[in-house]
Amino acid sequence: MSSLQSISSNYSITQQLSPVPDRRFERSDVERVLLVDDEPLSRLLTKAALEDAGLVVTEAGDGEEALHEFRRESPALVVLDAIMPGMSGFDVCRALRDTPQGKHVPVLILTGLNDEESVAAAYDAGATDFFVRSTQWTLLVQRCRYLLRASRMRAELERSESRVLKAQRIARLGIWEWDLNSRRLFASAECAAMLDLTYQREGFKPRMVWTAIHRDDRSRVCDFLKRALEGIADVRFDCTVAKRDGSNRIIHVEAEAELDHLGKVIRLHGIAQDITERCAAESQIRQLANYDSLTGLPNRRYFREQLQTAIEIASLETSGVGVLFLDLDNFKRINDTLGHHAGDALLKQVAKRITACLRTGDSVARNSDLSVPGVDSVARLGGDEFTVMLTRLESDDVAHGVAHRLLHGLQAPFVLDGQECFVSASVGVACYPRDGSDVDELLRAADLAMYSVKDAGRNGMKPYSPALVSGPQHKLELHNALHRALEREELRLYYQPQIDTLTGRIVAAEALMRWQRGDTLVPPNDFIPVAQETGLILALGDWAIDHACKQISRWRAEGKTPYPIAVNISANAFQTPGFVAKVANCLRHHGVDPEMLELEITETMLMQDLQQTLRALDELSTFGIKLSVDDFGTGYSSLSYLRKLPLDTLKIDRSFVKELYEGSDDEVIVSAIAALARALGLRVIAEGVETAEQAALLKVHGCFLMQGYHFSRPLPIDAFDKFVEGLAAEEKAASA
Ligand code: C2E
Ligand code: CA
Ligand code: CA
């Protein structure tokens, strides 16, 4: 074996021993050259020269091996001996060019001196370059390096081009160029697709592009392009492309002119972007932001905007704007009895009726599009509240007429799930500029007028008048807000335990109302007095009784000890006919024993209309419901009356407990009340017990039932349940 052979066989041994390298993880700056030469010596020398230059060389001794190594190694450069037995270098080159990998790889063919035929054949076979064999290895190395660099740059260029294309495709961005000389429009594939055209390398006649643009948009597009041709920078517009499949796409176009050295426009460059989806999303967002999804009517936000515009126009024209505030009278009942589905269906039908009323009307239907600002508009503010805006109002009478027509329009029955149902509404009317000068004032005025209809028995209309707010205005607003609170279920009951201090056990709970108004918890003293004045207290009382009964039955359902609940009731309630029957119904409905419900009425109220109250108290007590006199000691009850009343408990007013200490006047009073209770055979309970001293002194005077911060504040139901558990645990621990 010659030394040369041993070197080359050594090499192949080491190669066989080492595992096949994974080229994917090789450093990309190591460039591999495939050297194909059937002459071992020349191969060895060439190899050595290339390796000296830092290249990594793979060898092949013939054409077959060359193709095999090429597939395996993906070299960056192929150096091919032209003349080889079997497959010649040219054959190998042709074969490489036929593979996807080999299409662009630089191929250098080594030829003999003065072998012009080979040079021509090399180029024919697709070689990148040829090199006349010589002993000047540096020349070969330089040539190889040059070819590698050119190939790298080419690959880089291809990569960045493909990145741009990809980016364009992702951005749905098309590129176009309109050459004025050749009168052709070159469009990138993406752009051609947008125009519903098949890509053509040689571009399109502008006429073809023109027909792609929607007929209605053509003259507009023409104007824009003219501006671009005039050299106006930054021409941009949107246009619609009518596709052959019948769909329309919205395309955003930007154009810029290219000028020659004389300043004459020779070309327009531009981009085109399909923005159909973006436009759809935008319009959907607009729809969601401005319209009520149930009825499709403008929502509160948009209505306010429309009203604002209408007011501005009216102030310029010195005309009027009418605002009608409509609230359905019995929506909640329908919703509760027929279900939300029917409720929604009803709201939709009501929306249609209101809209129809405005359209057919002789005096107001001036414009068919009700949602365009500046014209009549119907909106749903939420729940069962609708508003109507009337513009260019010549007189208030027109607005009143519309209100009457709306009421009339709602009179015919609505059909819900095949069932006929009747709906009435209360409508308040306010007119700009007389009743208010801005959106808020007008809406508030219409709202107040609407509530005055509700208070007067519903189902009607009333124009706003300043008399509505002759009382302290905030009262009326509070009343209205409270009305809504009831419907929106913003009221809560807090429960304060009543403790038997002899056993340490809870004997009952007093339900105290709270109003969850947004983030604030409004205490009853801030709203009960107003509710009392406006009569809403009746509805609040009904709600509280219902809620308390529900709670008692829930305790039972949860396997907990149910406690009697004391509910505060106003005297008005006792005096309304049917009150007792209502309470009885409620108890039955929730399956609650009458003994579990206690009603508290203040001493002052009790004494107001004794005859009336007496009858109701008798009925309630016969039925088994417990009665307490609240705030006892502050009124002027006479003993003879108290004797007649079917009472169970006296609650010592907390003002007497507050400054209770030995030897105080209050001690005398507390002691007297306790004695009175005993004499009448009534239970007595002290309210507002805050300290252990107060509790101790109360016990001394025989008052063992107590309620107050000393034991617990009024608690939301979850906290109350926890308090109960805590007490039980304490008791267990104490007995253990
Ligand atoms: P009230 O019936 O005399 O209720 C007792 C009030 O004293 C409650 O005030 C309670 O939180 C508070 N209180 C309890 N323990 C203490 C204590 O140790 N110290 C002090 N300083 N106060 C204590 P709240 O809850 O603010 O209720 C105020 C009033 O509002 C009630 O007085 C009652 O007249 C009325 N109210 C509450 N809920 C209702 C209701 O559902 N219907 C009616 N008609 N009136 C209610
Ligand atoms: Ca009370
Ligand atoms: Ca009280």
Side-chain angles (χ1 to χ4, degrees):
M1 204 199 276
S2 72
S3 64
L4 193 67
Q5 272 170 323
S6 80
I7 291 170
S8 66
S9 61
N10 271 351
Y11 175 65
S12 70
I13 287 169
T14 51
Q15 224 191 14
Q16 274 164 20
L17 288 179
S18 62
V20 179
D22 189 339
R23 301 281 168 241
R24 287 171 305 163
F25 301 116
E26 218 166 70
R27 283 179 54 207
S28 60
D29 52 357
V30 176
E31 288 182 301
R32 186 167 290 273
V33 179
L34 176 60
L35 174 61
V36 190
D37 197 338
D38 62 313
E39 283 281 339
L41 177 61
S42 100
R43 202 165 72 221
L44 185 77
L45 294 173
T46 313
K47 181 181 179 224
L50 293 175
E51 283 180 344
D52 272 355
L55 296 167
V56 177
V57 178
T58 301
E59 294 170 77
D62 58 41
E64 297 294 336
E65 196 186 348
L67 292 178
H68 174 74
E69 290 297 331
F70 183 81
R71 271 195 300 274
R72 214 169 65 93
E73 303 277 1
S74 294
L77 170 69
V78 181
V79 178
L80 264 177
D81 183 15
I83 314 296
M84 292 187 292
M87 275 182 103
S88 72
F90 312 116
D91 296 336
V92 175
C93 185
R94 256 189 295 274
L96 287 179
R97 290 297 185 231
D98 278 347
T99 67
Q101 269 173 302
K103 204 154 262 146
H104 299 301
V105 73
V107 176
L108 180 69
I109 292 204
L110 303 174
T111 65
L113 195 62
N114 299 329
D115 188 358
E116 276 171 26
E117 231 172 83
S118 284
V119 172
Y123 285 124
D124 276 351
T128 318
D129 206 350
F130 70 96
F131 185 80
V132 179
R133 281 183 188 282
S134 82
T135 48
Q136 282 183 289
W137 299 110
T138 44
L139 283 182
L140 175 65
V141 168
Q142 292 309 338
R143 186 67 64 83
C144 286
R145 282 210 173 123
Y146 167 76
L147 287 175
L148 281 168
R149 193 173 63 205
S151 158
R152 263 199 311 270
M153 279 165 64
R154 184 204 153 84
E156 192 54 48
L157 205 66
E158 251 174 22
R159 261 199 300 277
S160 76
E161 207 163 81
S162 100
R163 269 200 294 267
V164 169
L165 281 175
K166 201 187 252 171
Q168 286 176 3
R169 209 162 35 238
I170 290 170
R172 290 178 168 271
L173 193 68
I175 298 191
W176 56 269
E177 196 181 298
W178 183 10
D179 189 78
L180 299 180
N181 245 338
S182 64
R183 295 164 166 266
R184 291 195 82 81
L185 193 130
F186 299 92
S188 68
E190 196 69 30
C191 185
M194 273 180 224
L195 295 168
D196 212 13
L197 298 168
T198 319
Y199 173 73
Q200 289 178 19
R201 180 178 274 283
E202 67 278 11
F204 303 95
K205 289 195 179 123
R207 193 170 45 82
M208 287 186 73
V209 176
W210 205 236
T211 49
I213 292 167
H214 197 286
R215 194 169 278 118
D216 299 349
D217 274 4
R218 285 182 198 159
S219 76
R220 214 166 47 85
V221 171
C222 193
D223 289 342
F224 277 114
L225 290 177
K226 269 187 200 147
R227 291 177 55 197
L229 288 171
E230 283 161 17
I232 293 168
D234 257 5
V235 172
R236 48 186 75 199
F237 56 90
D238 296 344
C239 66
T240 307
V241 165
K243 289 206 157 188
R244 275 165 297 186
D245 65 6
S247 66
N248 283 341
R249 307 291 300 177
I250 303 168
I251 310 293
H252 173 72
V253 181
E254 295 189 13
E256 201 177 271
E258 181 188 336
L259 311 177
D260 65 7
H261 64 287
L262 296 172
K264 200 177 123 220
V265 177
I266 50 170
R267 225 169 268 127
L268 285 187
H269 293 276
I271 54 131
Q273 192 169 24
D274 189 328
I275 55 166
T276 313
E277 276 78 30
R278 196 180 78 198
C279 290
E282 274 169 14
S283 93
Q284 198 188 359
I285 289 167
R286 220 174 304 131
Q287 179 76 23
L288 286 175
N290 289 326
Y291 293 88
D292 164 42
S293 57
L294 180 68
T295 61
L297 294 177
N299 60 16
R300 177 189 296 271
R301 207 194 68 77
Y302 191 31
F303 182 78
R304 292 180 60 93
E305 209 175 289
Q306 290 177 315
L307 185 54
Q308 178 64 39
T309 311
I311 290 172
E312 279 161 17
I313 294 173
S315 75
L316 295 175
E317 289 179 347
T318 57
S319 63
V321 179
V323 175
L324 276 56
F325 204 115
L326 182 149
D327 188 287
L328 300 181
D329 291 331
N330 39 4
F331 179 70
K332 193 169 151 47
R333 208 196 63 226
I334 291 169
N335 212 33
D336 287 349
T337 48
L338 298 181
H340 285 296
H341 183 72
D344 284 355
L346 175 64
L347 291 175
K348 278 195 215 169
Q349 291 185 31
V350 167
K352 278 213 188 91
R353 283 236 192 134
I354 296 176
T355 311
C357 274
L358 292 180
R359 283 202 173 134
T360 52
D362 33 23
S363 52
V364 280
R366 291 170 295 235
N367 196 309
S368 59
D369 187 350
L370 292 171
S371 63
V372 173
V375 304
D376 303 345
S377 168
V378 184
R380 177 170 169 242
L381 295 199
D384 56 347
E385 292 173 346
F386 294 86
T387 45
V388 174
M389 178 178 81
L390 307 166
T391 52
R392 301 202 182 85
L393 207 63
E394 280 129 30
S395 93
D396 296 357
D397 292 345
V398 176
H400 303 165
V402 174
H404 282 299
R405 199 162 58 232
L406 286 180
L407 290 172
H408 183 76
L410 294 175
Q411 268 171 11
F414 289 84
V415 181
L416 302 170
D417 290 337
Q419 222 174 313
E420 278 198 349
C421 110
F422 290 87
V423 168
S424 69
S426 304
V427 185
V429 182
C431 297
Y432 171 87
R434 203 198 49 205
D435 303 332
S437 59
D438 62 26
V439 171
D440 285 322
E441 280 180 17
L442 282 173
L443 277 175
R444 191 183 308 136
D447 188 32
L448 283 175
M450 184 275 285
Y451 269 109
S452 74
V453 177
K454 293 254 185 211
D455 289 340
R458 314 176 154 199
N459 190 18
M461 68 74 72
K462 223 178 223 175
Y464 170 83
S465 90
L468 289 176
V469 285
S470 59
Q473 175 164 344
H474 84 272
K475 264 192 197 168
L476 239 139
E477 282 176 31
L478 188 66
H479 165 75
N480 295 352
L482 199 53
H483 220 294
R484 277 190 196 116
L486 198 56
E487 286 183 357
R488 293 181 189 163
E489 297 173 1
E490 291 173 355
L491 297 177
R492 312 270 177 268
L493 284 186
Y494 274 44
Y495 300 88
Q496 188 174 36
Q498 298 178 338
I499 311 283
D500 179 349
T501 53
L502 290 176
T503 61
R505 292 202 181 141
I506 300 175
V507 290
E510 180 177 3
L512 294 157
M513 200 177 285
R514 301 287 182 266
W515 175 9
Q516 187 69 55
R517 195 178 193 186
D519 289 339
T520 46
L521 197 65
V522 186
N525 287 336
D526 288 3
F527 63 88
I528 294 285
V530 172
Q532 201 93 47
E533 266 179 56
T534 59
L536 198 61
I537 193 72
L538 298 181
L540 294 188
D542 290 351
W543 179 86
I545 291 175
D546 182 70
H547 209 77
C549 289
K550 214 184 269 174
Q551 183 52 47
I552 294 169
S553 81
R554 193 177 295 153
W555 270 325
R556 235 187 345 218
E558 289 169 353
K560 297 178 177 147
T561 319
Y563 291 103
I565 296 181
V567 176
N568 294 284
I569 288 298
S570 79
N572 312 24
F574 285 98
Q575 289 154 7
T576 40
F579 174 73
V580 181
K582 203 157 53 181
V583 177
N585 261 337
C586 182
L587 287 164
R588 244 194 309 276
H589 177 74
H590 292 287
V592 169
D593 263 355
E595 290 79 42
M596 296 297 280
L597 185 67
E598 218 172 284
L599 298 181
E600 294 190 3
I601 178 167
T602 61
E603 185 185 20
T604 323
M605 284 190 181
L606 187 66
M607 294 300 147
Q608 262 167 18
D609 190 352
L610 208 56
Q611 283 315 323
Q612 269 277 346
T613 316
L614 190 58
R615 195 172 313 134
L617 292 181
D618 272 336
E619 283 178 56
L620 286 168
S621 138
T622 315
F623 192 67
I625 293 169
K626 297 263 186 321
L627 297 164
S628 305
V629 186
D630 206 352
D631 303 345
F632 192 78
T634 56
Y636 301 93
S637 4
S638 72
L639 208 61
S640 57
Y641 275 132
L642 280 181
R643 243 189 253 281
K644 281 190 205 157
L645 298 174
L647 303 172
D648 297 279
T649 309
L650 297 185
K651 296 190 80 175
I652 304 176
D653 189 66
R654 72 167 182 271
S655 59
F656 305 118
V657 179
K658 205 173 161 204
E659 270 146 47
L660 185 62
Y661 50 89
E662 270 188 71
S664 63
D665 286 350
D666 288 339
E667 191 188 8
V668 179
I669 295 174
V670 164
S671 151
I673 295 177
L676 175 67
R678 269 195 301 277
L680 292 171
L682 302 177
R683 297 193 319 162
V684 63
I685 175 166
E687 287 194 292
V689 181
E690 295 187 356
T691 65
E693 293 71 43
Q694 291 166 347
L697 205 50
L698 283 163
K699 279 192 198 172
V700 168
H701 294 287
C703 176
F704 302 104
L705 298 176
M706 297 179 208
Q707 177 185 347
Y709 294 171
H710 178 55
F711 307 97
S712 166
R713 291 186 172 254
L715 301 169
I717 187 62
D718 292 348
F720 181 86
D721 283 346
K722 284 223 177 67
F723 181 80
V724 172
E725 282 169 29
L727 271 195
E730 263 176 42
E731 194 178 329
K732 209 169 156 193
S735 67

